Amino acid sequence: MEKTQNKQQLVYGIRPVIEAIGGGLQIERVFLQNGLNSSLMGELRSLMKERGIPSQFVPVEKLNRMTTGNHQGVVAVVGAVEYHSFAELVETLEGSPLVVLLDHVTDVRNMGAIARTAECTGVSALVVPDRGSAAMNEDAIKTSSGALLRLPICREQNLKTVVNLAKQYGYQVVAATEKGAVDYREVDFSQPTLLVLGNEETGISPELLKMSDIRAKLPIVGEVASLNVSVAAGVFMYKALEQRLVG
């Protein structure tokens, strides 16, 4: 069964969700009732793991609030955003692409704002992790002014694999971090670039920082140690656009 609630399309019931996933429907997340086990549920969980679909165990009361139908302990949120494979997309990008990787940015408004600026500045794609990232829901799409529906979005299981693949294709990896030693104005954005931005609280993970070619920082003259991630992203993306327009 399918239902629309708060502008989100829902699919509920174990078998309908299995069929939706098998049919190629873009599933944003699956909510599962705590403590529910069956052979059919095992089949669903195996399929979700195979397809890299995020899931969350919740009390049955939450599922009851999401839908009044017979959900059987399973409610899936259908995403409006179409996801791409970075491994396939990177082969099609020409010239000197700028790809932005968001390392577990969790706020939907930040996600939407970054996507909006990315689309305005000619970014080729956004890469996000399949778990621990802001949902591509109606709030994010609205904040992005629809940019999330126009910009290629890659949702990947392993961000380190993305970085390694980008390097194989000749991209420089630029980490935007207050821990950087390079002023962002000194970075050459005219070449293929993977720009990495981090979580609102913890920043870029140590693993991705270690893999970066350049750690670039924004000058801060006030007492606050860092900028909001969407603001920082905008500064970096417009610096890249400025260089490319001049070039």
Side-chain angles (χ1 to χ4, degrees), residues 21 27-30 48-49 51-55 131 155:
I21 296 173
I27 304 296
E28 185 67 38
R29 185 175 299 275
V30 178
M48 289 191 297
K49 183 178 180 180
R51 302 294 177 89
I53 297 173
S55 62
R131 296 175 184 272
R155 188 168 68 173

Side-chain angles (χ1 to χ4, degrees), residues 95-158:
S96 296
L98 174 62
V99 175
V100 175
L101 186 156
L102 303 179
D103 182 11
H104 296 87
V105 170
T106 58
D107 186 276
V108 294
R109 293 172 184 82
N110 282 337
M111 180 70 72
I114 292 170
R116 183 174 183 174
T117 306
E119 202 277 336
C120 289
T121 54
V123 167
S124 299
L126 287 182
V127 180
V128 299
D130 68 342
R131 296 175 184 272
S133 184
M136 301 292 182
N137 57 21
E138 292 294 330
D139 286 339
I141 293 171
K142 182 178 180 180
T143 305
S144 77
S145 291
L148 283 170
L149 302 179
R150 296 189 291 272
L151 188 68
I153 309 294
C154 303
R155 188 168 68 173
E156 301 292 330
Q157 288 184 306
N158 193 321

Side-chain angles (χ1 to χ4, degrees), residues 43-88:
E43 180 183 340
L44 171 59
R45 293 178 65 180
S46 296
L47 185 58
M48 289 191 297
K49 183 178 180 180
E50 176 187 328
R51 302 294 177 89
I53 297 173
S55 62
Q56 181 179 346
F57 286 97
V58 297
V60 67
E61 290 79 11
K62 178 177 177 64
L63 302 182
N64 292 340
R65 289 194 299 270
M66 294 178 72
T67 174
T68 57
N70 182 19
H71 53 68
Q72 299 176 313
V74 177
V75 177
V77 179
V78 181
V81 174
E82 179 182 357
Y83 294 107
H84 300 259
S85 162
F86 181 73
E88 296 177 0

